Amino acid sequence: MREIAIVMENNRIKGIIFILISALSFAIMSGCIKMTGPLPTFQKLFFRNFISLFVSIILVVKHKGSFVGKPENRKYLILRALLGTLGIIFNFYAIEHLVLSDANMLNKLSPLFVILFSYIFLKEKINKNQIMAITIAFAGALLILKPSFSSDSLPGLAGLLGALNAGAAYTCLRALKNEAYYTTVFVFSFISCVVVLPFALYFYMPMSGFQIMLLFVAGIFATITQFALTLAYSYAPAREISIFDYSNIIFSAVISYLLFHQLPDIFSWIGYVVIFGASLYMFLYQKKLSNSQ
């Protein structure tokens, strides 16, 4: 019994380490995307996903897996890819125009959208505690957005739409039945590249060697983010480690200050605390619920 407990604790530590790696990688990827400057969003997105596509092809071949997934999963894989691509487009726009930690904190609203979409489309139950947490989190988002009903609000709205589409994409992942992670990553990366390529070519802007290097690094860290997150949840359940993903906001704030000399204002910091508090409440609630079952 003691040996089992030790193994479980070691796996939990591994899960936490991998989710911290994922959070740091996402912050570095976001910083690289922001540093590329005025390049078209479609161009940035294509480079970001092309590297993930290359890595996923290697993994599918290595594991002798499927490039198209199981028949019953294909509609969800395609829908996830389309929604995920749209989510990244909005997220990149937010990254380009907002303080980095603001953009990434808005992106962290996606798990709350998962609860809503799972209730609407997957008929999963939703209770008053979840409704309260979602309401509080959106109040925190308003502090970050500071809506002015002008064009200045567009980047914040884009960040919110990015989280909404990401939440919808993650809901599709919940509907998948035992699909290999490398197949899921391949389908997403392939469809995303195919959809984005015509726009990337149409709006193409010549790049300097430094910008090419930044996009290459962004692609590498985006790939690390995806696989580190997958490994994290293979070692430990979400109820035990998901809260550590919010370390991304700390990493983003540090990178934002060091590279761009930007810091969130007081309202954003309050918004961070409110959103994190709502998420922490849901984390503890779900953990207590799981332990009582």
Side-chain angles (χ1 to χ4, degrees):
M1 239 0 227
R2 186 170 180 273
E3 291 179 355
I4 294 175
I6 292 173
V7 170
M8 290 179 66
E9 180 60 23
N10 287 339
N11 284 342
R12 192 174 78 88
I13 292 171
K14 289 177 183 177
I16 292 171
I17 291 171
F18 274 114
I19 209 166
L20 290 174
I21 291 172
S22 173
L24 176 59
S25 297
F26 189 86
I28 295 173
M29 182 272 292
S30 301
C32 289
I33 291 297
K34 193 174 181 70
M35 284 182 69
T36 56
L39 292 179
T41 299
F42 296 109
Q43 194 169 328
K44 296 177 183 181
L45 178 54
F46 179 80
F47 276 86
R48 177 227 187 257
N49 279 347
F50 184 76
I51 293 175
S52 295
L53 175 64
F54 180 75
V55 174
S56 62
I57 289 173
I58 293 174
L59 288 171
V60 171
V61 172
K62 178 183 176 182
H63 292 279
K64 298 180 180 178
S66 170
F67 283 103
V68 295
K70 298 175 182 178
E72 65 271 23
N73 287 339
R74 285 171 193 163
K75 63 180 179 181
Y76 295 114
L77 286 169
I78 294 171
L79 189 58
R80 183 260 174 169
L82 294 173
L83 290 168
T85 298
L86 196 56
I88 296 175
I89 291 171
F90 283 125
N91 181 238
F92 275 19
Y93 183 83
I95 287 171
E96 291 163 10
H97 296 88
L98 293 175
V99 175
L100 196 60
S101 51
D102 279 6
N104 285 345
M105 179 52 96
L106 289 173
N107 189 254
K108 294 304 173 189
L109 290 170
S110 58
L112 301 175
F113 283 114
V114 172
I115 294 173
L116 288 175
F117 288 134
S118 296
Y119 169 72
I120 296 170
F121 297 108
L122 302 181
K123 308 305 178 185
E124 294 183 2
K125 292 182 179 179
I126 187 170
N127 57 47
K128 61 180 181 181
N129 296 288
Q130 292 171 317
I131 293 172
M132 181 176 69
I134 291 170
T135 303
I136 292 171
F138 278 109
L142 289 175
L143 289 168
I144 298 172
L145 292 170
K146 296 176 278 290
S148 59
F149 303 103
S150 68
S151 59
D152 293 338
S153 298
L154 287 178
L157 180 60
L160 196 60
L161 289 173
L164 185 147
N165 280 278
Y170 296 148
T171 305
C172 292
L173 287 180
R174 289 172 71 97
L176 292 176
K177 299 175 182 177
N178 301 318
E179 196 65 72
Y181 71 91
Y182 41 81
T183 297
T184 303
V185 174
F186 168 78
V187 173
F188 167 67
S189 301
F190 176 75
I191 290 178
S192 181
C193 285
V194 169
V195 169
V196 168
L197 181 58
F199 298 98
L201 292 174
Y202 183 80
F203 294 104
Y204 180 79
M205 184 183 293
M207 297 180 288
S208 67
F210 182 62
Q211 287 174 317
I212 293 172
M213 183 197 73
L214 285 173
L215 289 177
F216 182 75
V217 173
I220 290 174
F221 279 101
T223 304
I224 293 172
T225 297
Q226 288 194 56
F227 288 108
L229 199 61
T230 301
L231 285 168
Y233 289 125
S234 72
Y235 279 113
R239 67 177 181 273
E240 294 183 5
I241 63 174
S242 60
I243 200 69
F244 292 94
D245 194 32
Y246 280 86
S247 60
N248 168 265
I249 306 308
I250 298 173
F251 297 138
S252 296
V254 172
I255 289 173
S256 184
Y257 177 72
L258 292 177
L259 296 181
F260 311 108
H261 307 293
Q262 293 179 329
L263 281 175
D265 61 25
I266 185 64
F267 292 105
S268 288
W269 281 115
I270 295 171
Y272 297 174
V273 172
V274 171
I275 293 174
F276 177 77
S279 301
L280 178 61
Y281 172 77
M282 279 307 304
F283 171 79
L284 295 173
Y285 173 76
Q286 294 289 357
K287 189 174 181 181
K288 180 181 178 182
L289 204 63
S290 298
N291 290 337
S292 65
Q293 290 176 349

